[in-house]
Amino acid sequence: MSVHEHKKLLEELGVDVERHAKMMEMGYEGYKNQFMSQTNRPKAMEYFDWFMSEVQGQRIAEINELRKNKKPAIGAFCIFVPEEIIVGAGGACFGLCGGSPATIADAETELPRNICPLIKSAYGFKLQKTCAYTQSADFIYGETTCEAKKKTWELLNKHHPVKVMNIPHMKREKDLKMWKEELSEFKEHMEEITKKPLTFEEMKNGVKIVNEKRFALQRLDRLRSMNGSDVIPISAKDALFITQISFLDDPIRFTQKLNDLCDELEQRVKENNSVYKKETPRLMVLGTPFALPNWKLHTAVETSGGAIVNEESCIGHRYYKDNVDIDEIKDEDSLMEKLLQKYSSVDCACFTPNTPRIDKILQMYKDRKLDGVIYYSLSFCHTYNVEAKLVTDALEKEGIPALVIESDYSPEDAGQIKTRVEAFLESINFKKMKKN
Amino acid sequence: MSVHEHKKLLEELGVDVERHAKMMEMGYEGYKNQFMSQTNRPKAMEYFDWFMSEVQGQRIAEINELRKNKKPAIGAFCIFVPEEIIVGAGGACFGLCGGSPATIADAETELPRNICPLIKSAYGFKLQKTCAYTQSADFIYGETTCEAKKKTWELLNKHHPVKVMNIPHMKREKDLKMWKEELSEFKEHMEEITKKPLTFEEMKNGVKIVNEKRFALQRLDRLRSMNGSDVIPISAKDALFITQISFLDDPIRFTQKLNDLCDELEQRVKENNSVYKKETPRLMVLGTPFALPNWKLHTAVETSGGAIVNEESCIGHRYYKDNVDIDEIKDEDSLMEKLLQKYSSVDCACFTPNTPRIDKILQMYKDRKLDGVIYYSLSFCHTYNVEAKLVTDALEKEGIPALVIESDYSPEDAGQIKTRVEAFLESINFKKMKKN
């Protein structure tokens, strides 16, 4: 698609083209500075670098090509939206822009200041019309995992078509039964777009495609820190960026490119080629998601001599840890049942109780031979913030070093975060030294 | 009960007696200063003054007398807890202490700072053991109306027995069906305490008693501002205090005393005896509850020349606006159905959508011949905070003056609130002047 044609498409989508162009340019500059300046990067990152250069270019054109053919284009904020069904319908499921401070002042003209920056940022992108993903969404598919989002849908619906999936906050049998009904309703909403019934075979194909994507992400996770050596073959920022892109890219192409990268990472492990110095403290980040381009914490850790080898976040391990048991799928009902099983395994802090999350975290810590964890919460995220106490109590009991950070998207606290991370890494290094 | 005996009871309840005594003394001093200094008060306020002097004295003794006889004593935070069932079982349902800044620093050792002060205050009372109500509760009965509470129950449960009622956030048929099951489960939890089945007749009697209480509160509401004249026969602070006490007192005695007061207020209306000067701007407060002793906003309005004639809050109109349709109750199932009908009429901002609230507010405004409204939100209350935009948009469309205030329990913003209230009242007076 020519530059001229693309501009025309953006205009048709109602994008504020001029402002959008400026934001894209700034975003790409930021990426080049923070990512492409890294040394010893895997060669296969080239694809992801290219994707960033076309993040609202070719990908937006592809999504709108699908829309022309009555395929659904669904924008989401949450990993509970069953992308298998969208992909099965031949459509695209994508994460809405929501990681930038540049739209927050606009959002605050309609939303309270003291809610999570992810919601405000995304809402601001809609008001500004500076996200081509948001503008391309047939529906923004909301859910009820947090009350700030739940109530924001009522406002956002005045600016864009919104549907809401009611996610229960307990996992009793009756809650799961209702959840399954939500999955069926979700399917019906896709059929409103495609104007034809979505077949069992199509949905099963969607499950297959998304399973493959999750397998590739699991493979990346293992290669980062469970590869049988101390080698960390990819930087934390690159690995995070790949996970961020998994919410935007075409899943088949993405899976192929990620597997290519993993092949290269395997080779690097064999060759003892680590992007970090020996003895670099290995950290895991727990908590809330890092939406593109929120790289603040990762930058702070990497510039302070630490390595992050896993994000236990929704843009991270929580997203890809479970697959849909495709072998047990015989018909539409069992497909919905297995989808439900996958989604209800998600250990979001919206659930009460949510104790399996704590057991999982302790296990992840052991499996990845970590030195410490950072509990990261977006500001004003009540669920993850309150749950932090239960998690850090459990970590303390096991003698696991933990740092709790609450932050938003403003660059103002970057220095303070770096100082805290440095002190945390120092205490870890001191502990390691004493041990040896 | 002698002072000595009462001290013994408090000790048995695990109350930090010394600290408790100091807090009670301070609280009563505050009441005397702010309430008993008012002029032209109804004589029947004497009872409520007495109640305040015994708020954690005689009433605590009464509750523990019930407990001795295996009657349930249930502490709650929310008007969704079906007190009819508790009262039917011969027990006491009471609001937990949660309106004081004095316990918040303690709570913040375990809870995030940026959640609602009501939750933090109540949690702090438990940690300090300075609330004899909390200490007297067989169960603290939580619910899932907001996520900060929902997650706090998991922590609070480590300090006190907690049960949780799952309130849905939509009102579709299937949500209501699940809600009804919660009501039945609630009943079973009461039977765990009484060790015997709760009969239909007992429960119906509970409905009758609580209905009578709500009738009396509705009567007070009408007398404040819908009495066919401009007379406001009771101060905003006194009326608020009575509503606060409705969550603590024995319901039969309370109803009797409130009806006595209403008789006197009726007489005052006839005698044209208003506690406010003629032309005092008539305001309604919308939003979140004022837990005892949170009188900050009411004090600010009354000392600035305004009158509040209704609180559209959970400690207010939202609590008593609907009664249970007792005439339609034939058996346990219809009783549960009618209870559900009453509780699902509550227009808490936890629901999505919650549009009936807006229609109600506009109607209340007309019925009460108001001059303006104050939308009051406790800090960090996402649901009421986000919904404020929808409400104020609707008010603006109708040309209704509105002031939005978000505040916590600290005395620090009292001056700032007063300044804003004064400016708001000035603009109302100016508007009224121009009209005449």
Short mmCIF file of all heavy atoms in Angstrom, two decimals, chain A residues 161-188:
data_model
loop_
_atom_site.label_atom_id
_atom_site.label_comp_id
_atom_site.label_asym_id
_atom_site.label_seq_id
_atom_site.Cartn_x
_atom_site.Cartn_y
_atom_site.Cartn_z
N PRO A 161 -18.54 1.76 19.38
CA PRO A 161 -19.34 0.59 19.78
C PRO A 161 -18.57 -0.31 20.77
O PRO A 161 -17.43 -0.69 20.48
CB PRO A 161 -19.59 -0.14 18.46
CG PRO A 161 -19.36 0.88 17.38
CD PRO A 161 -18.31 1.81 17.93
N VAL A 162 -19.21 -0.58 21.88
CA VAL A 162 -18.58 -1.39 22.93
C VAL A 162 -19.49 -2.56 23.28
O VAL A 162 -20.71 -2.40 23.37
CB VAL A 162 -18.34 -0.54 24.20
CG1 VAL A 162 -17.85 -1.41 25.36
CG2 VAL A 162 -17.34 0.58 23.95
N LYS A 163 -18.91 -3.73 23.42
CA LYS A 163 -19.63 -4.88 24.00
C LYS A 163 -18.90 -5.24 25.29
O LYS A 163 -17.70 -5.00 25.42
CB LYS A 163 -19.60 -6.09 23.06
CG LYS A 163 -20.20 -5.84 21.70
CD LYS A 163 -21.63 -6.34 21.63
CE LYS A 163 -22.18 -6.19 20.22
NZ LYS A 163 -23.64 -6.13 20.23
N VAL A 164 -19.63 -5.85 26.21
CA VAL A 164 -19.00 -6.19 27.50
C VAL A 164 -19.23 -7.66 27.84
O VAL A 164 -20.34 -8.17 27.75
CB VAL A 164 -19.58 -5.31 28.63
CG1 VAL A 164 -18.94 -5.67 29.97
CG2 VAL A 164 -19.34 -3.83 28.34
N MET A 165 -18.15 -8.32 28.19
CA MET A 165 -18.20 -9.72 28.62
C MET A 165 -18.16 -9.73 30.14
O MET A 165 -17.25 -9.13 30.73
CB MET A 165 -16.96 -10.42 28.05
CG MET A 165 -16.98 -11.89 28.15
SD MET A 165 -15.57 -12.56 27.22
CE MET A 165 -16.08 -14.27 27.18
N ASN A 166 -19.13 -10.39 30.73
CA ASN A 166 -19.21 -10.39 32.19
C ASN A 166 -18.36 -11.52 32.77
O ASN A 166 -18.76 -12.68 32.79
CB ASN A 166 -20.67 -10.55 32.62
CG ASN A 166 -20.87 -10.24 34.09
OD1 ASN A 166 -20.02 -9.63 34.74
ND2 ASN A 166 -21.99 -10.67 34.63
N ILE A 167 -17.19 -11.18 33.25
CA ILE A 167 -16.29 -12.18 33.85
C ILE A 167 -16.61 -12.28 35.34
O ILE A 167 -16.58 -11.27 36.05
CB ILE A 167 -14.81 -11.77 33.67
CG1 ILE A 167 -14.47 -11.52 32.19
CG2 ILE A 167 -13.87 -12.81 34.28
CD1 ILE A 167 -14.54 -12.72 31.31
N PRO A 168 -16.95 -13.48 35.83
CA PRO A 168 -17.26 -13.60 37.27
C PRO A 168 -16.01 -13.38 38.11
O PRO A 168 -14.88 -13.44 37.60
CB PRO A 168 -17.75 -15.04 37.40
CG PRO A 168 -17.10 -15.77 36.28
CD PRO A 168 -16.98 -14.79 35.15
N HIS A 169 -16.21 -13.14 39.41
CA HIS A 169 -15.07 -12.89 40.29
C HIS A 169 -14.85 -14.02 41.28
O HIS A 169 -14.06 -13.93 42.19
CB HIS A 169 -15.26 -11.55 41.00
CG HIS A 169 -15.30 -10.40 40.06
ND1 HIS A 169 -15.62 -9.13 40.42
CD2 HIS A 169 -15.02 -10.34 38.72
CE1 HIS A 169 -15.56 -8.34 39.37
NE2 HIS A 169 -15.21 -9.05 38.33
N MET A 170 -15.65 -15.08 41.09
CA MET A 170 -15.40 -16.31 41.84
C MET A 170 -15.41 -17.43 40.81
O MET A 170 -15.83 -17.23 39.67
CB MET A 170 -16.49 -16.52 42.89
CG MET A 170 -16.50 -15.47 44.00
SD MET A 170 -17.69 -15.90 45.31
CE MET A 170 -17.52 -14.48 46.40
N LYS A 171 -14.92 -18.58 41.22
CA LYS A 171 -14.83 -19.69 40.26
C LYS A 171 -15.62 -20.90 40.73
O LYS A 171 -15.16 -22.03 40.61
CB LYS A 171 -13.37 -20.05 40.00
CG LYS A 171 -12.57 -18.95 39.30
CD LYS A 171 -11.12 -19.38 39.09
CE LYS A 171 -10.32 -18.28 38.42
NZ LYS A 171 -8.90 -18.65 38.25
N ARG A 172 -16.79 -20.65 41.34
CA ARG A 172 -17.66 -21.74 41.72
C ARG A 172 -18.31 -22.30 40.46
O ARG A 172 -18.33 -21.64 39.41
CB ARG A 172 -18.72 -21.24 42.70
CG ARG A 172 -18.13 -20.57 43.94
CD ARG A 172 -19.16 -19.72 44.66
NE ARG A 172 -19.74 -18.73 43.78
CZ ARG A 172 -20.66 -17.85 44.14
NH1 ARG A 172 -21.11 -17.84 45.39
NH2 ARG A 172 -21.14 -16.97 43.28
N GLU A 173 -18.90 -23.48 40.59
CA GLU A 173 -19.47 -24.13 39.40
C GLU A 173 -20.46 -23.20 38.71
O GLU A 173 -20.47 -23.07 37.48
CB GLU A 173 -20.14 -25.44 39.82
CG GLU A 173 -20.17 -26.45 38.70
CD GLU A 173 -20.84 -27.75 39.16
OE1 GLU A 173 -20.44 -28.25 40.23
OE2 GLU A 173 -21.76 -28.22 38.47
N LYS A 174 -21.31 -22.54 39.50
CA LYS A 174 -22.33 -21.69 38.87
C LYS A 174 -21.73 -20.48 38.18
O LYS A 174 -22.27 -19.99 37.19
CB LYS A 174 -23.39 -21.28 39.89
CG LYS A 174 -22.88 -20.65 41.16
CD LYS A 174 -24.05 -20.45 42.12
CE LYS A 174 -23.57 -20.05 43.51
NZ LYS A 174 -24.69 -19.96 44.45
N ASP A 175 -20.62 -19.98 38.72
CA ASP A 175 -19.95 -18.85 38.05
C ASP A 175 -19.41 -19.30 36.69
O ASP A 175 -19.53 -18.58 35.70
CB ASP A 175 -18.79 -18.34 38.91
CG ASP A 175 -19.26 -17.89 40.28
OD1 ASP A 175 -20.21 -17.09 40.33
OD2 ASP A 175 -18.68 -18.32 41.29
N LEU A 176 -18.84 -20.51 36.67
CA LEU A 176 -18.26 -21.00 35.42
C LEU A 176 -19.34 -21.25 34.38
O LEU A 176 -19.14 -21.01 33.18
CB LEU A 176 -17.45 -22.27 35.69
CG LEU A 176 -16.26 -22.08 36.65
CD1 LEU A 176 -15.51 -23.40 36.82
CD2 LEU A 176 -15.30 -21.00 36.15
N LYS A 177 -20.49 -21.70 34.86
CA LYS A 177 -21.61 -21.95 33.94
C LYS A 177 -22.01 -20.64 33.24
O LYS A 177 -22.23 -20.61 32.03
CB LYS A 177 -22.79 -22.52 34.76
CG LYS A 177 -23.92 -23.06 33.92
CD LYS A 177 -24.93 -23.84 34.75
CE LYS A 177 -26.27 -23.91 34.05
NZ LYS A 177 -27.18 -22.79 34.32
N MET A 178 -22.09 -19.58 34.02
CA MET A 178 -22.45 -18.29 33.42
C MET A 178 -21.37 -17.80 32.47
O MET A 178 -21.64 -17.19 31.44
CB MET A 178 -22.69 -17.25 34.52
CG MET A 178 -24.11 -17.26 35.01
SD MET A 178 -24.41 -15.95 36.22
CE MET A 178 -24.27 -14.48 35.22
N TRP A 179 -20.13 -18.07 32.84
CA TRP A 179 -19.01 -17.65 32.01
C TRP A 179 -19.09 -18.32 30.63
O TRP A 179 -18.85 -17.70 29.60
CB TRP A 179 -17.70 -18.00 32.72
CG TRP A 179 -16.46 -17.35 32.20
CD1 TRP A 179 -16.29 -16.73 30.99
CD2 TRP A 179 -15.21 -17.24 32.89
NE1 TRP A 179 -15.01 -16.26 30.88
CE2 TRP A 179 -14.34 -16.55 32.02
CE3 TRP A 179 -14.74 -17.65 34.14
CZ2 TRP A 179 -13.01 -16.28 32.38
CZ3 TRP A 179 -13.42 -17.38 34.49
CH2 TRP A 179 -12.57 -16.70 33.62
N LYS A 180 -19.46 -19.62 30.67
CA LYS A 180 -19.58 -20.36 29.40
C LYS A 180 -20.65 -19.72 28.51
O LYS A 180 -20.48 -19.62 27.29
CB LYS A 180 -19.93 -21.83 29.71
CG LYS A 180 -19.62 -22.78 28.57
CD LYS A 180 -19.82 -24.23 28.99
CE LYS A 180 -20.01 -25.14 27.80
NZ LYS A 180 -20.47 -26.48 28.24
N GLU A 181 -21.71 -19.25 29.12
CA GLU A 181 -22.75 -18.56 28.35
C GLU A 181 -22.21 -17.28 27.71
O GLU A 181 -22.60 -16.90 26.61
CB GLU A 181 -23.95 -18.23 29.25
CG GLU A 181 -24.74 -19.46 29.65
CD GLU A 181 -25.76 -19.17 30.77
OE1 GLU A 181 -26.10 -18.00 31.00
OE2 GLU A 181 -26.20 -20.15 31.40
N GLU A 182 -21.30 -16.63 28.42
CA GLU A 182 -20.68 -15.42 27.87
C GLU A 182 -19.87 -15.75 26.62
O GLU A 182 -19.84 -14.98 25.66
CB GLU A 182 -19.76 -14.74 28.90
CG GLU A 182 -20.46 -14.23 30.14
CD GLU A 182 -21.33 -13.01 29.90
OE1 GLU A 182 -20.87 -12.07 29.23
OE2 GLU A 182 -22.49 -13.03 30.37
N LEU A 183 -19.21 -16.92 26.66
CA LEU A 183 -18.42 -17.35 25.49
C LEU A 183 -19.34 -17.56 24.29
O LEU A 183 -19.02 -17.16 23.17
CB LEU A 183 -17.64 -18.62 25.81
CG LEU A 183 -16.47 -18.49 26.80
CD1 LEU A 183 -15.93 -19.86 27.18
CD2 LEU A 183 -15.35 -17.62 26.20
N SER A 184 -20.49 -18.19 24.53
CA SER A 184 -21.43 -18.41 23.43
C SER A 184 -21.97 -17.09 22.89
O SER A 184 -22.12 -16.91 21.68
CB SER A 184 -22.59 -19.29 23.90
OG SER A 184 -22.10 -20.56 24.26
N GLU A 185 -22.24 -16.18 23.81
CA GLU A 185 -22.72 -14.87 23.38
C GLU A 185 -21.65 -14.13 22.56
O GLU A 185 -21.96 -13.45 21.59
CB GLU A 185 -23.10 -14.05 24.62
CG GLU A 185 -24.04 -12.92 24.34
CD GLU A 185 -24.48 -12.23 25.62
OE1 GLU A 185 -25.39 -12.74 26.32
OE2 GLU A 185 -23.89 -11.19 25.93
N PHE A 186 -20.42 -14.31 22.99
CA PHE A 186 -19.31 -13.71 22.26
C PHE A 186 -19.30 -14.20 20.82
O PHE A 186 -19.17 -13.41 19.87
CB PHE A 186 -17.98 -14.06 22.95
CG PHE A 186 -16.79 -13.39 22.33
CD1 PHE A 186 -16.38 -12.15 22.77
CD2 PHE A 186 -16.08 -13.99 21.30
CE1 PHE A 186 -15.29 -11.52 22.20
CE2 PHE A 186 -15.00 -13.36 20.72
CZ PHE A 186 -14.59 -12.12 21.17
N LYS A 187 -19.48 -15.50 20.68
CA LYS A 187 -19.52 -16.09 19.33
C LYS A 187 -20.65 -15.45 18.51
O LYS A 187 -20.45 -15.08 17.35
CB LYS A 187 -19.74 -17.61 19.46
CG LYS A 187 -19.83 -18.33 18.13
CD LYS A 187 -20.53 -19.67 18.25
CE LYS A 187 -20.95 -20.17 16.89
NZ LYS A 187 -22.07 -21.12 16.95
N GLU A 188 -21.81 -15.29 19.12
CA GLU A 188 -22.94 -14.68 18.41
C GLU A 188 -22.61 -13.25 17.97
O GLU A 188 -23.01 -12.82 16.89
CB GLU A 188 -24.20 -14.69 19.29
CG GLU A 188 -24.82 -16.07 19.41
CD GLU A 188 -25.77 -16.19 20.60
OE1 GLU A 188 -26.27 -15.15 21.07
OE2 GLU A 188 -25.97 -17.32 21.07
#
